[in-house]
Amino acid sequence: MSKILLEAINVGKTFKHINGNISLFNNLNLKIKHGDLIALIGPSGSGKSSLLHLFALLDDTSKGKILINGKETKNLTDSQKDEIRRKNISIIFQDNNLLTDFTALENVMIPLFIKGESKKYILKKTQRILQDLKILNRSNHFPSELSGGEQQRVAIARALIAETNLILADEPTGNLDFKTSKEIFSLFLKLKKLKKTIIFATHNRELANRADYKLFISNGDIKRVNARKWQKV
């Protein structure tokens, strides 16, 4: 198996705006390995969420291409992209994206139902991960009955339960207190040991500094930030 899970080759992304085109990325070249734990940092509006959407195949590049496990994704159909996400990608959205008519337990179960796992296995695994995230006691509550932090933990549980190789998280600890944020990051570290790749956008400096490295986005440019120096990607 190749060490490279995700690769961006000469990627650019331009949005049309009433005042002219807005370019977020220019000729981005990036290789991300299995087991990398990466923090996306930068000012609000710099393109952190947009980059995650490109990696998740939820948006198309304006130029260049993205490869997942060596497979080019640019010309895939929507159903083919859905299949790649189902098998390879878990997403933790900034706004949680929970289904309002489903309980916390049911929301977390969804990825395993899609995979066709048995009901007994799904229930056992869902309860275990909700316990790990200290929200098992809220299993039968609907999203509207949960606090913002509780909703975020449910969204994280739903992303982690599928055990995909790539986890993309947009401000995963934004609605969580400091203690819970550290617990979530500890889960990320456990997943890293299993060679899962985690890319998370964050404004939390402490958590960003605990990543393997940081990708700093500003003015359409991306730089890799190591402990020792700034390095252009």
Coordinates of all heavy atoms in Angstrom, one line a residue, residues 57-91:
L57 N -14.4 15.9 -1.8 CA -15.1 15.8 -3.1 C -16.5 16.3 -3.0 O -17.4 15.9 -3.8 CB -15.1 14.3 -3.5 CG -13.8 13.5 -3.4 CD1 -13.9 12.1 -4.0 CD2 -12.7 14.3 -4.2
L58 N -16.7 17.3 -2.2 CA -18.0 18.0 -2.1 C -18.0 19.2 -3.1 O -19.1 19.8 -3.3 CB -18.3 18.4 -0.7 CG -18.5 17.3 0.3 CD1 -18.7 17.9 1.7 CD2 -19.8 16.5 -0.1
D59 N -16.8 19.6 -3.6 CA -16.7 20.7 -4.5 C -15.6 20.3 -5.5 O -14.8 19.4 -5.2 CB -16.3 22.0 -3.7 CG -16.6 23.2 -4.6 OD1 -17.1 23.1 -5.7 OD2 -16.2 24.3 -4.1
D60 N -15.7 20.9 -6.7 CA -14.7 20.6 -7.7 C -13.6 21.7 -7.8 O -13.8 22.9 -7.5 CB -15.4 20.6 -9.1 CG -16.4 19.4 -9.2 OD1 -16.1 18.4 -8.6 OD2 -17.5 19.6 -9.8
T61 N -12.4 21.2 -8.1 CA -11.3 22.2 -8.3 C -11.6 23.0 -9.6 O -12.3 22.6 -10.5 CB -10.0 21.5 -8.5 OG1 -10.1 20.6 -9.6 CG2 -9.7 20.6 -7.2
S62 N -11.0 24.2 -9.7 CA -11.1 25.0 -10.9 C -10.0 24.6 -11.9 O -10.2 24.7 -13.1 CB -11.0 26.5 -10.5 OG -12.0 26.9 -9.7
K63 N -9.0 24.1 -11.3 CA -7.9 23.5 -12.1 C -7.1 22.5 -11.3 O -7.2 22.5 -10.0 CB -6.9 24.6 -12.7 CG -6.2 25.3 -11.6 CD -5.1 26.3 -12.2 CE -4.3 27.0 -11.1 NZ -3.3 27.8 -11.7
G64 N -6.3 21.7 -11.9 CA -5.6 20.7 -11.2 C -6.5 19.5 -10.8 O -7.6 19.4 -11.2
K65 N -5.9 18.6 -10.0 CA -6.6 17.4 -9.7 C -6.3 16.9 -8.3 O -5.2 17.2 -7.7 CB -6.4 16.3 -10.7 CG -4.9 16.0 -10.9 CD -4.7 15.0 -12.0 CE -3.2 14.7 -12.3 NZ -3.0 13.8 -13.5
I66 N -7.2 16.1 -7.7 CA -7.0 15.5 -6.4 C -7.1 14.0 -6.5 O -8.0 13.5 -7.2 CB -8.1 16.0 -5.4 CG1 -7.9 17.5 -5.1 CG2 -8.1 15.2 -4.1 CD1 -9.0 18.1 -4.2
L67 N -6.1 13.4 -6.0 CA -6.1 11.9 -6.0 C -6.3 11.3 -4.6 O -5.7 11.9 -3.6 CB -4.7 11.4 -6.5 CG -4.4 11.4 -8.0 CD1 -4.4 12.8 -8.6 CD2 -3.1 10.7 -8.3
I68 N -7.1 10.3 -4.5 CA -7.3 9.6 -3.2 C -6.9 8.1 -3.5 O -7.4 7.5 -4.4 CB -8.7 9.7 -2.7 CG1 -9.1 11.2 -2.4 CG2 -9.0 8.8 -1.5 CD1 -10.5 11.4 -2.0
N69 N -5.9 7.7 -2.7 CA -5.4 6.3 -2.9 C -4.9 6.1 -4.3 O -5.0 5.1 -4.9 CB -6.4 5.3 -2.5 CG -6.6 5.1 -1.0 OD1 -5.6 5.3 -0.2 ND2 -7.8 4.9 -0.6
G70 N -4.3 7.2 -4.9 CA -3.8 7.1 -6.2 C -4.8 7.3 -7.3 O -4.4 7.3 -8.5
K71 N -6.0 7.4 -7.0 CA -7.1 7.5 -8.0 C -7.5 8.9 -8.3 O -7.9 9.6 -7.3 CB -8.3 6.6 -7.6 CG -9.4 6.6 -8.6 CD -10.5 5.7 -8.2 CE -11.6 5.6 -9.3 NZ -12.7 4.6 -8.9
E72 N -7.5 9.3 -9.5 CA -7.9 10.7 -9.8 C -9.4 10.8 -9.7 O -10.2 9.9 -10.1 CB -7.5 11.0 -11.3 CG -7.8 12.5 -11.6 CD -7.3 12.9 -13.0 OE1 -6.4 12.1 -13.5 OE2 -7.7 13.9 -13.5
T73 N -9.9 11.9 -9.1 CA -11.3 12.1 -8.8 C -12.0 13.1 -9.6 O -13.2 13.3 -9.5 CB -11.4 12.5 -7.3 OG1 -10.7 13.7 -7.1 CG2 -10.8 11.4 -6.4
K74 N -11.3 13.9 -10.4 CA -11.9 15.0 -11.1 C -13.1 14.7 -12.0 O -14.1 15.4 -12.0 CB -10.8 15.8 -11.9 CG -11.3 17.1 -12.5 CD -10.2 17.9 -13.1 CE -10.6 19.2 -13.6 NZ -11.0 20.1 -12.5
N75 N -13.0 13.6 -12.7 CA -14.1 13.3 -13.7 C -15.0 12.2 -13.2 O -15.7 11.6 -14.0 CB -13.4 12.9 -15.0 CG -12.6 14.1 -15.6 OD1 -13.1 15.2 -15.6 ND2 -11.4 13.8 -16.1
L76 N -15.0 11.9 -11.9 CA -15.9 10.9 -11.4 C -17.4 11.4 -11.4 O -17.6 12.6 -11.2 CB -15.5 10.5 -10.0 CG -14.1 9.9 -9.8 CD1 -13.9 9.5 -8.4 CD2 -14.0 8.6 -10.7
T77 N -18.3 10.5 -11.5 CA -19.7 10.9 -11.4 C -20.0 11.1 -9.9 O -19.3 10.7 -9.0 CB -20.6 9.7 -11.9 OG1 -20.4 8.6 -11.1 CG2 -20.3 9.4 -13.4
D78 N -21.2 11.7 -9.6 CA -21.6 11.9 -8.2 C -21.7 10.6 -7.5 O -21.3 10.5 -6.3 CB -22.9 12.6 -8.2 CG -22.8 14.1 -8.6 OD1 -21.7 14.6 -8.6 OD2 -23.9 14.7 -9.0
S79 N -22.2 9.5 -8.1 CA -22.4 8.3 -7.4 C -21.0 7.7 -7.1 O -20.8 7.0 -6.1 CB -23.2 7.3 -8.3 OG -22.6 7.1 -9.5
Q80 N -20.0 7.9 -8.0 CA -18.7 7.4 -7.8 C -18.0 8.1 -6.6 O -17.3 7.5 -5.8 CB -17.8 7.5 -9.0 CG -18.2 6.5 -10.1 CD -17.5 6.7 -11.5 OE1 -17.2 7.9 -11.8 NE2 -17.1 5.7 -12.2
K81 N -18.3 9.4 -6.6 CA -17.7 10.2 -5.4 C -18.4 9.8 -4.1 O -17.7 9.7 -3.1 CB -18.0 11.7 -5.7 CG -17.1 12.3 -6.8 CD -17.4 13.7 -7.0 CE -16.6 14.3 -8.2 NZ -16.9 15.7 -8.4
D82 N -19.7 9.5 -4.2 CA -20.4 9.0 -3.0 C -19.8 7.7 -2.5 O -19.6 7.5 -1.3 CB -21.9 8.8 -3.3 CG -22.7 10.1 -3.4 OD1 -22.2 11.1 -3.0 OD2 -23.8 10.0 -4.0
E83 N -19.4 6.8 -3.4 CA -18.8 5.6 -3.1 C -17.4 5.8 -2.4 O -17.1 5.1 -1.4 CB -18.7 4.7 -4.3 CG -18.1 3.3 -4.1 CD -19.1 2.4 -3.3 OE1 -20.2 2.8 -3.1 OE2 -18.6 1.3 -3.0
I84 N -16.7 6.7 -2.9 CA -15.3 7.0 -2.3 C -15.5 7.5 -0.9 O -14.8 7.1 0.0 CB -14.6 8.0 -3.2 CG1 -14.1 7.3 -4.5 CG2 -13.4 8.5 -2.4 CD1 -13.3 8.2 -5.4
R85 N -16.5 8.4 -0.7 CA -16.7 9.0 0.6 C -17.2 7.9 1.5 O -16.7 7.8 2.7 CB -17.7 10.1 0.5 CG -17.2 11.4 0.1 CD -18.2 12.6 0.3 NE -19.3 12.4 -0.6 CZ -19.4 13.0 -1.8 NH1 -18.4 13.7 -2.3 NH2 -20.4 12.8 -2.6
R86 N -18.0 7.0 1.1 CA -18.6 5.9 1.9 C -17.5 5.0 2.4 O -17.4 4.6 3.6 CB -19.6 5.1 1.2 CG -20.3 4.1 2.0 CD -21.4 3.3 1.2 NE -20.8 2.5 0.2 CZ -20.3 1.2 0.4 NH1 -20.4 0.7 1.6 NH2 -19.8 0.5 -0.5
K87 N -16.5 4.8 1.6 CA -15.4 3.8 1.9 C -14.2 4.5 2.6 O -13.5 3.8 3.4 CB -15.0 3.1 0.7 CG -16.0 2.1 0.1 CD -15.4 1.4 -1.1 CE -16.4 0.3 -1.6 NZ -15.9 -0.4 -2.8
N88 N -14.0 5.7 2.2 CA -12.7 6.3 2.6 C -12.8 7.6 3.5 O -11.8 7.9 4.1 CB -11.9 6.7 1.3 CG -11.6 5.5 0.5 OD1 -10.7 4.7 0.8 ND2 -12.3 5.3 -0.6
I89 N -13.9 8.3 3.5 CA -13.9 9.7 4.1 C -15.0 9.8 5.1 O -16.1 9.5 4.8 CB -14.0 10.8 2.9 CG1 -13.0 10.6 1.9 CG2 -14.0 12.1 3.6 CD1 -13.2 11.5 0.7
S90 N -14.6 10.4 6.2 CA -15.6 10.8 7.2 C -15.5 12.3 7.4 O -14.4 12.8 7.4 CB -15.4 10.1 8.6 OG -15.6 8.7 8.5
I91 N -16.6 13.0 7.6 CA -16.6 14.4 7.6 C -17.3 14.9 8.9 O -18.4 14.5 9.2 CB -17.3 15.0 6.4 CG1 -16.8 14.4 5.1 CG2 -17.2 16.5 6.4 CD1 -17.6 14.7 3.9

